Amino acid sequence: MNTCTAVALLPPPRHVIALSVPGHRPEAGHVLCELGENHDADHAAMLWDEGGRPGSAVWARWSEERAELASLPWCPARDAREEACGLFAGHPPGHSWEITDPIDEAITRGLGLV
Ligand SMILES: [Zn+2]
Ligand SMILES: [Zn+2]
């Protein structure tokens, strides 16, 4: 399945604003949903990971009405090569290895890596 194409605009975190030069507010950044297309529930994108421990990754989750940040444990599933799923526990169907980003694919093919 392909990736969901939802995009969210998030305001910069407060600590980034605190570090920025006065008068130059950082602009909102956009994040892309990492789930498989046509998923149910909220869109989700990982913002940062503080070392691979359970609950160390911070995710943005959003829907039409709201957005929230949450620390979520990793999905415990592994593929046939023992690669860990790159999504959070309890994500909608489609582990990370079942989801292909058509843009990534096109770039990889264009570079002759496949
Ligand atoms: Zn989505
Ligand atoms: Zn998974």
Side-chain angles (χ1 to χ4, degrees):
M1 70 179 81
N2 287 332
T3 35
C4 174
T5 52
V7 180
L9 214 53
L10 295 179
R14 220 166 297 140
H15 66 271
V16 174
I17 295 174
L19 290 172
S20 65
V21 185
H24 290 272
R25 269 178 85 86
E27 286 176 29
H30 70 273
V31 290
L32 289 163
C33 180
E34 296 180 28
L35 301 174
E37 62 185 347
N38 303 323
H39 63 80
D40 56 1
D42 293 350
H43 301 294
M46 191 181 74
L47 297 183
W48 63 84
D49 170 23
E50 287 161 7
R53 300 182 313 279
S56 65
V58 177
W59 292 78
R61 291 199 291 184
W62 72 94
S63 63
E64 294 290 312
E65 308 88 42
R66 64 198 170 75
E68 60 169 21
L69 298 188
S71 289
L72 300 169
W74 291 104
C75 172
R78 290 179 183 272
D79 74 0
R81 291 173 302 160
E82 286 292 299
E83 298 271 351
C85 174
L87 297 171
F88 55 88
H91 63 78
H95 294 296
S96 58
W97 58 83
E98 292 168 330
I99 303 167
T100 45
D101 183 337
I103 297 168
D104 251 21
E105 287 265 291
I107 293 170
T108 309
R109 254 198 311 274
L111 294 174
L113 298 176
V114 187

